Short mmCIF file of all heavy atoms in Angstrom, two decimals:
data_model
loop_
_atom_site.label_atom_id
_atom_site.label_comp_id
_atom_site.label_asym_id
_atom_site.label_seq_id
_atom_site.Cartn_x
_atom_site.Cartn_y
_atom_site.Cartn_z
N SER Z 139 70.45 43.32 180.37
CA SER Z 139 71.83 43.18 179.84
C SER Z 139 72.05 43.96 178.62
O SER Z 139 72.35 43.53 177.51
CB SER Z 139 72.06 41.71 179.53
OG SER Z 139 71.12 41.18 178.61
N LEU Z 140 71.78 45.31 178.78
CA LEU Z 140 71.82 46.20 177.63
C LEU Z 140 73.27 46.39 177.19
O LEU Z 140 73.52 46.81 176.01
CB LEU Z 140 71.24 47.58 177.97
CG LEU Z 140 69.72 47.56 178.18
CD1 LEU Z 140 69.25 48.96 178.74
CD2 LEU Z 140 68.96 47.15 176.95
N HIS Z 141 74.29 46.11 178.07
CA HIS Z 141 75.60 46.41 177.61
C HIS Z 141 76.12 45.42 176.56
O HIS Z 141 76.95 45.77 175.75
CB HIS Z 141 76.57 46.26 178.89
CG HIS Z 141 76.55 44.93 179.47
ND1 HIS Z 141 75.52 44.44 180.30
CD2 HIS Z 141 77.44 43.93 179.41
CE1 HIS Z 141 75.84 43.21 180.69
NE2 HIS Z 141 76.93 42.82 180.15
N ASN Z 142 75.50 44.21 176.48
CA ASN Z 142 75.87 43.34 175.45
C ASN Z 142 74.73 42.85 174.57
O ASN Z 142 74.67 41.90 173.88
CB ASN Z 142 76.50 42.03 176.05
CG ASN Z 142 75.57 41.29 176.97
OD1 ASN Z 142 74.46 41.70 177.19
ND2 ASN Z 142 75.96 40.18 177.55
N TYR Z 143 73.67 43.69 174.67
CA TYR Z 143 72.46 43.48 173.85
C TYR Z 143 72.58 43.96 172.38
O TYR Z 143 73.18 45.04 172.14
CB TYR Z 143 71.27 44.25 174.50
CG TYR Z 143 70.04 44.20 173.70
CD1 TYR Z 143 69.16 43.11 173.67
CD2 TYR Z 143 69.58 45.30 172.94
CE1 TYR Z 143 68.02 43.02 173.00
CE2 TYR Z 143 68.48 45.25 172.20
CZ TYR Z 143 67.67 44.11 172.21
OH TYR Z 143 66.52 44.07 171.48
N HIS Z 144 72.29 43.09 171.46
CA HIS Z 144 72.38 43.42 170.07
C HIS Z 144 71.26 44.41 169.67
O HIS Z 144 70.10 43.95 169.50
CB HIS Z 144 72.38 42.23 169.17
CG HIS Z 144 72.40 42.54 167.70
ND1 HIS Z 144 73.36 43.30 167.14
CD2 HIS Z 144 71.50 42.19 166.73
CE1 HIS Z 144 73.15 43.45 165.84
NE2 HIS Z 144 71.98 42.79 165.59
N ASP Z 145 71.64 45.62 169.55
CA ASP Z 145 70.63 46.68 169.17
C ASP Z 145 70.24 46.50 167.71
O ASP Z 145 71.03 46.81 166.77
CB ASP Z 145 71.22 48.08 169.49
CG ASP Z 145 70.13 49.14 169.37
OD1 ASP Z 145 68.99 48.81 169.06
OD2 ASP Z 145 70.55 50.35 169.56
N SER Z 146 68.99 46.19 167.48
CA SER Z 146 68.48 45.98 166.08
C SER Z 146 67.67 47.15 165.59
O SER Z 146 67.11 47.10 164.55
CB SER Z 146 67.69 44.64 165.96
OG SER Z 146 66.59 44.76 166.89
N ARG Z 147 67.58 48.26 166.44
CA ARG Z 147 66.85 49.42 165.94
C ARG Z 147 67.57 50.01 164.73
O ARG Z 147 68.81 50.11 164.68
CB ARG Z 147 66.77 50.46 167.11
CG ARG Z 147 66.08 49.96 168.27
CD ARG Z 147 66.07 50.95 169.40
NE ARG Z 147 67.49 51.08 169.92
CZ ARG Z 147 67.88 52.03 170.78
NH1 ARG Z 147 66.96 52.83 171.44
NH2 ARG Z 147 69.10 52.03 171.18
N LEU Z 148 66.76 50.51 163.77
CA LEU Z 148 67.35 51.03 162.55
C LEU Z 148 67.74 52.51 162.73
O LEU Z 148 67.03 53.39 163.19
CB LEU Z 148 66.26 50.98 161.49
CG LEU Z 148 65.87 49.56 161.10
CD1 LEU Z 148 64.65 49.58 160.10
CD2 LEU Z 148 67.00 48.83 160.44
N HIS Z 149 69.04 52.73 162.43
CA HIS Z 149 69.65 54.07 162.62
C HIS Z 149 69.50 54.99 161.46
O HIS Z 149 69.50 56.21 161.54
CB HIS Z 149 71.15 53.89 163.01
CG HIS Z 149 71.31 53.08 164.24
ND1 HIS Z 149 72.05 51.85 164.17
CD2 HIS Z 149 70.88 53.17 165.53
CE1 HIS Z 149 71.96 51.34 165.38
NE2 HIS Z 149 71.34 52.18 166.21
N ALA Z 150 69.40 54.48 160.25
CA ALA Z 150 69.38 55.22 159.04
C ALA Z 150 68.48 54.50 157.99
O ALA Z 150 68.55 53.28 157.91
CB ALA Z 150 70.73 55.53 158.49
N CYS Z 151 67.76 55.30 157.22
CA CYS Z 151 66.94 54.73 156.09
C CYS Z 151 67.41 55.39 154.83
O CYS Z 151 67.17 56.63 154.68
CB CYS Z 151 65.54 54.90 156.40
SG CYS Z 151 64.49 54.61 154.93
N LEU Z 152 67.99 54.63 153.95
CA LEU Z 152 68.34 55.18 152.65
C LEU Z 152 67.16 54.92 151.77
O LEU Z 152 66.85 53.72 151.43
CB LEU Z 152 69.61 54.51 152.09
CG LEU Z 152 70.91 54.84 152.78
CD1 LEU Z 152 72.05 54.10 152.16
CD2 LEU Z 152 71.22 56.26 152.90
N TYR Z 153 66.45 55.99 151.33
CA TYR Z 153 65.28 55.85 150.48
C TYR Z 153 65.72 56.13 149.04
O TYR Z 153 66.05 57.22 148.71
CB TYR Z 153 64.15 56.76 150.90
CG TYR Z 153 62.78 56.36 150.35
CD1 TYR Z 153 61.94 55.60 151.02
CD2 TYR Z 153 62.46 56.70 149.03
CE1 TYR Z 153 60.77 55.23 150.50
CE2 TYR Z 153 61.27 56.29 148.43
CZ TYR Z 153 60.43 55.49 149.24
OH TYR Z 153 59.22 55.12 148.64
N PHE Z 154 65.67 55.07 148.24
CA PHE Z 154 66.12 55.16 146.81
C PHE Z 154 64.94 55.62 145.96
O PHE Z 154 63.87 55.02 145.91
CB PHE Z 154 66.56 53.81 146.37
CG PHE Z 154 67.86 53.34 146.97
CD1 PHE Z 154 67.88 52.93 148.32
CD2 PHE Z 154 69.10 53.35 146.24
CE1 PHE Z 154 69.09 52.52 148.88
CE2 PHE Z 154 70.22 52.88 146.80
CZ PHE Z 154 70.23 52.53 148.17
N ILE Z 155 65.23 56.74 145.33
CA ILE Z 155 64.30 57.44 144.35
C ILE Z 155 64.60 57.11 142.98
O ILE Z 155 65.80 57.23 142.55
CB ILE Z 155 64.19 58.94 144.69
CG1 ILE Z 155 63.80 59.22 146.11
CG2 ILE Z 155 63.24 59.61 143.70
CD1 ILE Z 155 64.01 60.65 146.55
N SER Z 156 63.65 56.65 142.25
CA SER Z 156 63.85 56.34 140.78
C SER Z 156 64.17 57.61 140.03
O SER Z 156 63.54 58.64 140.17
CB SER Z 156 62.57 55.64 140.20
OG SER Z 156 62.87 55.39 138.83
N PRO Z 157 65.25 57.65 139.17
CA PRO Z 157 65.67 58.83 138.42
C PRO Z 157 64.78 59.10 137.25
O PRO Z 157 65.19 59.15 136.11
CB PRO Z 157 67.04 58.40 137.96
CG PRO Z 157 66.98 56.91 137.80
CD PRO Z 157 66.12 56.45 138.89
N SER Z 158 63.46 59.44 137.50
CA SER Z 158 62.54 59.75 136.54
C SER Z 158 62.79 61.19 135.93
O SER Z 158 62.43 61.39 134.81
CB SER Z 158 61.16 59.61 137.03
OG SER Z 158 60.78 60.46 138.03
N GLY Z 159 63.24 62.06 136.78
CA GLY Z 159 63.36 63.45 136.38
C GLY Z 159 62.15 64.28 136.44
O GLY Z 159 62.13 65.45 136.09
N HIS Z 160 61.06 63.69 136.84
CA HIS Z 160 59.78 64.39 136.95
C HIS Z 160 59.43 64.81 138.35
O HIS Z 160 59.51 65.92 138.81
CB HIS Z 160 58.63 63.61 136.26
CG HIS Z 160 58.96 63.30 134.85
ND1 HIS Z 160 58.89 64.29 133.82
CD2 HIS Z 160 59.31 62.12 134.19
CE1 HIS Z 160 59.21 63.73 132.66
NE2 HIS Z 160 59.45 62.42 132.87
N SER Z 161 58.89 63.78 139.14
CA SER Z 161 58.49 64.06 140.51
C SER Z 161 58.45 62.78 141.27
O SER Z 161 58.62 61.67 140.64
CB SER Z 161 57.01 64.74 140.54
OG SER Z 161 56.14 63.84 139.91
N LEU Z 162 58.17 62.88 142.56
CA LEU Z 162 58.12 61.67 143.36
C LEU Z 162 56.82 60.89 143.07
O LEU Z 162 55.80 61.52 142.74
CB LEU Z 162 58.15 62.04 144.88
CG LEU Z 162 59.49 62.53 145.41
CD1 LEU Z 162 59.28 63.11 146.78
CD2 LEU Z 162 60.56 61.46 145.44
#
Side-chain angles (χ1 to χ4, degrees):
S139 57
L140 292 175
H141 63 282
N142 59 0
Y143 174 77
H144 174 57
D145 189 359
S146 60
R147 297 173 297 175
L148 295 170
H149 303 118
C151 169
L152 295 182
Y153 196 97
F154 289 72
I155 300 170
S156 179
S158 63
H160 299 290
S161 61
L162 289 170

